[in-house]
């Protein structure tokens, strides 16, 4: 195959004759017959980003900005996040590959293990945090004092999330299709109920912010809510029939869906002093609706996390099925929640948010320079380690971390842009040799 003649669907079509072990194709391109339409992609990605813990980031913004400035910050941050994820999603649809499998082409067959450990391990940690959150909030709603009821809730909900992830894309689609519209309706109702507390939009706009936050920090907060998880958007967009469908679905999910959750959190913080609408509903005495919002929202979001560490495990150990890794990761995450380690993980996992976005930047830059025409063909002879791109990744991480320490720019964006530009430039200097025809 020459560099100038590779159609968009080459990689996907070549996989159609391969034996199917896992219907989600965790380590091979999604074939054409398994691709989904735009509506399906949109539902899954919107279900991924309609995530109530994102409201906590919005709460911090609501305390620091007036309504007009708040909307500007959310718009800028969401545009940055949406653009980054949309490009990765576009690549996922064109290649049919997960993020960690794409890393094989960017970092080498052994170098990609870094991506699998980083992305998979982070998702296991967040899985444990969410399972623990569900246990604690359920106990709070029913005023349970003992550890036993909390543990039972954690184990049961973890089993449901694990089963959904094992079922794969179809399971997450149906859970999202049913729960996301109901959750959004409930969230809008709480928002309008909140506005009644302050005299409508005019009353909200008249409230002076009590805190302070710079624009750079505020935009970083918005981008940081889902930039790490968004790096794994190709896990779902690879099911798209076209790159255009994937881009639009990413914009709906990460620009609109994530932006709405941040805005809801800000409204809650301003009006009720609480950014999480689950706790707002508890305050209003609507315990049942609060639990519905809690379970419905976190069930589908954590199933996505389980799916992500499942496909990462399949790549790491080079196995054709994600199922054993979904189960193993769910068990580890549940144990973390049961022993209370999850309470200490968020800050550490947030730090990893500095080091994950540059990985997406390297993949984008390398893809545009070397793989755009041939779409990362299956069976390509790859080096064990691509030291150039690993070096680019390390430099971009250092720049992102330094930007955060010095308060310069938006650290995730600094890392992404540095990685993208360096990977593109260096890959152009050392182009891949095209495989010979015949």
């Amino acid at each position: 195959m020459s560099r100038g003649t590779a159609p968009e669907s080459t990689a996907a079509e070549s996989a159609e004759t391969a034996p199917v072990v896992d219907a989600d194709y965790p380590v091979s391109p999604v074939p054409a017959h398994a691709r989904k339409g735009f509506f399906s992609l949109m539902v899954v990605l919107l279900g991924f980003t309609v995530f109530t813990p994102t409201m906590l980031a919005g709460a911090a913004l609501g305390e620091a900005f007036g309504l007009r400035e708040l909307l500007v910050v959310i718009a800028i941050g969401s545009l940055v996040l949406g653009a980054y994820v949309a490009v990765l999603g576009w690549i996922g649809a064109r290649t049919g590959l997960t993020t960690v499998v794409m890393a094989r082409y960017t970092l080498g067959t052994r170098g990609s293990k870094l991506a699998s450990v980083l992305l998979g391990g982070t998702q296991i940690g967040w899985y444990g945090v969410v399972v623990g959150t569900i246990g604690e909030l359920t106990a709070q709603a029913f005023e349970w004092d003992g550890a036993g009821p909390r543990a039972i809730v954690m184990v049961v909900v973890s089993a449901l999330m694990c089963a959904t992830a094992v079922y794969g894309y179809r399971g997450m689609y149906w859970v999202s299709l049913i729960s996301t519209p109901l959750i959004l309706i409930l969230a809008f109702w709480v928002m309008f109920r909140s506005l009644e507390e302050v005299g409508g939009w005019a009353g909200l706009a008249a409230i002076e912010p009590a805190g302070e936050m710079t624009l750079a920090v505020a935009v970083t907060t918005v981008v940081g809510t889902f930039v790490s998880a968004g790096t794994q958007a190709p896990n779902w967009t690879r099911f798209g029939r076209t790159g255009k469908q994937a881009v639009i679905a990413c914009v709906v999910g990460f620009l609109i869906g994530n932006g709405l959750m941040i805005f809801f959190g800000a409204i809650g913080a301003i009006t009720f002093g609480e950014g999480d609408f689950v706790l707002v509903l508890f305050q209003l005495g609507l315990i049942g609706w609060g639990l519905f919002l809690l379970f419905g929202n976190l069930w589908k979001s954590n199933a996505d996390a389980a799916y992500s560490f499942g496909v990462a495990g399949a790549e790491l150990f080079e196995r054709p099925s994600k199922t054993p890794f979904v189960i193993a990761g769910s068990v580890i995450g549940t144990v973390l929640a049961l022993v209370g380690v999850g309470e200490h993980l968020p800050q550490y996992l947030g730090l990893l948010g500095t080091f994950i976005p540059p990985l997406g930047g390297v993949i984008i830059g390398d893809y545009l320079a070397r793989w755009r025409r041939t779409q990362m063909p299956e069976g390509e002879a790859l080096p064990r380690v691509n030291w150039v791109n690993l070096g680019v990744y390390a430099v971009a991480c250092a720049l992102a971390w330094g930007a955060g320490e010095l308060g310069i720019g938006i650290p995730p964006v600094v890392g992404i842009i540095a990685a993208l530009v360096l990977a593109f430039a260096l890959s152009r200097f050392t182009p891949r040799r095209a495989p010979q025809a015949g």
Side-chain angles (χ1 to χ4, degrees), residues 86-132:
V87 175
L88 275 176
W90 172 72
I91 297 174
R94 287 173 62 84
T95 61
L97 299 173
T98 65
T99 304
V100 290
V101 174
M102 286 194 290
R104 291 180 178 177
Y105 293 79
T106 299
L107 303 178
T109 57
R110 290 293 176 264
S112 65
K113 307 310 177 188
L114 171 64
S116 295
V117 170
L118 189 63
L119 295 177
T122 304
Q123 291 302 301
I124 290 175
W126 281 121
Y127 183 92
V129 170
V130 170
V131 168

Side-chain angles (χ1 to χ4, degrees), residues 116-117 120-132 154-155 158-159 162 302 305-306 309-310 313 316-317 323-343 345 349:
S116 295
V117 170
T122 304
Q123 291 302 301
I124 290 175
W126 281 121
Y127 183 92
V129 170
V130 170
V131 168
M154 292 180 195
V155 171
S158 179
C162 177
N302 232 25
F309 58 67
L316 179 63
F317 293 97
T323 298
F325 305 104
V326 170
I327 295 172
S330 299
V331 170
I332 294 171
T334 304
V335 170
L336 292 175
L338 290 172
V339 300
V341 175
E343 298 176 4
L345 284 176
L349 295 171

